[in-house]
């Protein structure tokens, strides 16, 4: 099958199958060979790798991945794309296509079945409407993985990278930076896609840490605190946490913890570093609560 990174070849496939783009699935297909090369290079795919591709579309990036990897598993929600994928990828014996919703499928099971439970690499031009739940799901469910190399909305890529004191800093920044080292690999303009998205895009590589950069006895409690702190950005940290009603966390516990950390009662969540959230978590974690991490 011809290289689908070349726009004329993508158009030919779309016409052959009379394909209608589904806006609800965030379908913007890549039509730029340079961008495709860059993604595959940034993901550092080798002949030993098993790659999980989320949302293969008509198989454009899948072709590139199949050329470099030992095994590619591609999970696509749109039933209409499955016969197209079977056609465009028919030359590759190392591709498994699954018609499923990535937010519902058991990815840990896929890794067990396809790669004996060893770490995979995730590569995708993500559907933008579910970027955060996909990335958080991979991390929080402890899917064995080395790295995630994904195309996301530019603004979301920025959010993953920034630290305290910037407007983009939030729960996503902290969660990503707890699990991985983020790096923007390329900025990608709308004309590299068909149809063109209304926003700019960026390729970001998240390299998973073997061990998170901060210690916590209870990962879930830490992330409950972080989420609560950013739920109401304009509120102080104390009010944000109180309004979230985290069981076992009373106002006097929060004020005592902030005093111990040398932080004013008026501090907002957006001013705290990951290290400070981890410290707050260890000070606030109600004693006797079972460690639910892991
Ligand atoms: N990889 C292709 C490319 O680069 O040309 C297509 C990328 S397009 C931005 C996103 C793809 O994800 C679409 O094919 C869409 O149907 C698929 N998709 C959307 N939601 C999904 C979900 N919940 N699970 C799996 N695939 C999904």
């Amino acid at each position: 099958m011809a290289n689908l990174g070349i726009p004329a070849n993508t158009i030919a496939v779309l016409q052959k199958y009379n394909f209608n783009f589904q806006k609800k699935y965030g379908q913007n297909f890549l039509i730029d060979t340079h961008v495709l090369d860059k993604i595959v290079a940034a993901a550092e795919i080798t002949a030993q790798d098993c790659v999980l591709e989320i949302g293969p579309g008509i198989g454009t990036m899948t072709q590139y991945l199949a050329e470099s990897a030992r095994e590619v598993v591609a999970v696509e929600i749109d039933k209409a794309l499955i016969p197209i994928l079977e056609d465009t990828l028919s030359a590759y014996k190392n591709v498994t296509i699954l018609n499923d919703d990535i937010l519902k499928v058991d990815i840990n099971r896929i890794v067990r079945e396809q790669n004996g439970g060893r770490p995979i690499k995730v590569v995708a031009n993500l559907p933008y409407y579910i970027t955060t739940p996909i990335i958080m799901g991979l991390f929080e469910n402890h899917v064995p993985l080395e790295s995630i190399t994904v195309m996301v909305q530019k603004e979301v890529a920025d959010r993953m990278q920034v630290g305290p004191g910037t407007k983009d800093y939030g729960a996503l920044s902290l969660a990503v930076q707890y699990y991985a080292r983020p790096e923007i690999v390329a900025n990608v303009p709308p004309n590299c896609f068909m149809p063109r998205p209304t926003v700019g895009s960026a390729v970001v590589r998240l390299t998973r840490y073997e061990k998170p950069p901060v210690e916590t006895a209870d990962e879930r409690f830490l992330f409950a605190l972080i989420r609560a702190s950013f739920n109401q950005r304009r509120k102080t940290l104390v009010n944000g946490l109180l309004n979230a009603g985290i069981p076992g966390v009373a106002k006097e516990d929060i004020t005592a913890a902030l005093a111990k950390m040398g932080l004013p009662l008026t501090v907002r969540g957006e001013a705290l570093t990951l290290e400070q959230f981890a410290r707050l978590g260890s000070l606030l974690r109600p004693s006797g609560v079972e460690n639910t991490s892991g």
Side-chain angles (χ1 to χ4, degrees):
M1 169 59 69
N3 178 348
L4 295 169
I6 295 163
N9 295 336
T10 282
I11 291 167
V13 168
L14 297 176
Q15 284 175 348
K16 176 176 171 191
Y17 287 92
N18 202 9
F19 180 75
N20 290 316
F21 287 99
Q22 298 275 345
K23 217 170 171 193
K24 66 171 179 194
Y25 289 146
Q27 291 177 341
N28 300 96
F29 298 163
L30 264 169
I31 45 160
D32 187 298
T33 54
H34 300 292
V35 174
L36 286 153
D37 283 334
K38 227 175 207 172
I39 296 173
V40 176
E44 294 177 357
I45 308 293
T46 70
Q48 279 78 51
D49 286 329
C50 175
V51 176
L52 169 67
E53 187 190 7
I54 298 162
I58 60 169
T60 313
M61 193 150 73
T62 327
Q63 291 181 332
Y64 282 69
L65 295 170
E67 293 284 344
S68 313
R70 176 176 56 77
E71 189 70 41
V72 181
V73 183
V75 180
E76 173 56 59
I77 197 169
D78 187 352
K79 217 164 52 212
L81 286 167
I82 304 304
I84 304 182
L85 286 164
E86 279 163 3
D87 178 8
T88 60
L89 301 171
S90 59
Y92 299 102
K93 302 294 162 238
N94 57 345
V95 177
T96 305
I97 303 159
L98 302 175
N99 182 203
D100 223 320
D101 179 345
I102 195 66
L103 295 180
K104 297 202 178 128
V105 78
D106 181 351
I107 305 177
N108 279 306
R109 204 193 71 216
I110 295 179
V111 178
R112 272 197 308 276
E113 287 175 359
Q114 304 284 336
N115 205 36
R118 290 182 304 280
I120 52 157
K121 288 178 179 165
V122 177
V123 185
N125 170 16
L126 285 179
Y128 293 173
Y129 73 107
I130 43 170
T131 299
T132 301
I134 290 175
I135 291 180
M136 293 312 299
L138 289 167
F139 284 140
E140 288 186 337
N141 295 320
H142 294 269
V143 171
L145 60 88
E146 274 177 48
S147 61
I148 303 176
T149 306
V150 278
M151 179 86 73
V152 298
Q153 202 175 317
K154 170 82 178 92
E155 192 195 311
V156 176
D158 290 339
R159 255 189 265 157
M160 292 181 188
Q161 277 209 316
V162 292
T166 52
K167 75 168 177 30
D168 289 331
Y169 185 60
L172 181 66
S173 329
L174 284 154
V176 162
Q177 293 165 29
Y178 175 80
Y179 290 109
R181 181 169 53 80
E183 183 188 350
I184 293 182
V185 176
N187 287 315
V188 183
N191 63 0
C192 295
F193 301 87
M194 185 183 293
R196 294 182 184 193
T198 49
V199 293
S201 303
V203 179
V204 56
R205 177 180 156 130
L206 310 175
T207 310
R208 176 152 206 164
Y209 292 128
E210 272 181 30
K211 208 168 136 271
V214 297
E215 285 208 14
T216 174
D218 190 337
E219 220 173 271
R220 273 182 218 184
F221 183 69
L222 172 64
F223 283 105
L225 277 189
I226 289 174
R227 281 198 193 98
S229 309
F230 286 96
N231 265 347
Q232 298 158 299
R233 279 192 88 96
R234 286 156 193 275
K235 293 233 156 97
T236 61
L237 180 66
V238 178
N239 284 335
L241 294 182
L242 283 178
N243 290 343
I246 302 174
V249 178
K251 185 165 186 175
E252 50 277 18
D253 303 323
I254 307 171
T255 53
L258 291 181
K260 258 193 197 149
M261 293 172 67
L263 292 170
L265 292 181
T266 51
V267 75
R268 290 183 182 175
E270 64 202 23
L272 269 64
T273 62
L274 178 59
E275 289 72 16
Q276 286 173 313
F277 271 112
R279 171 104 202 275
L280 186 66
S282 65
L283 290 170
L284 287 181
R285 186 168 162 248
S287 53
V289 171
E290 205 185 323
N291 178 5
T292 49
S293 318

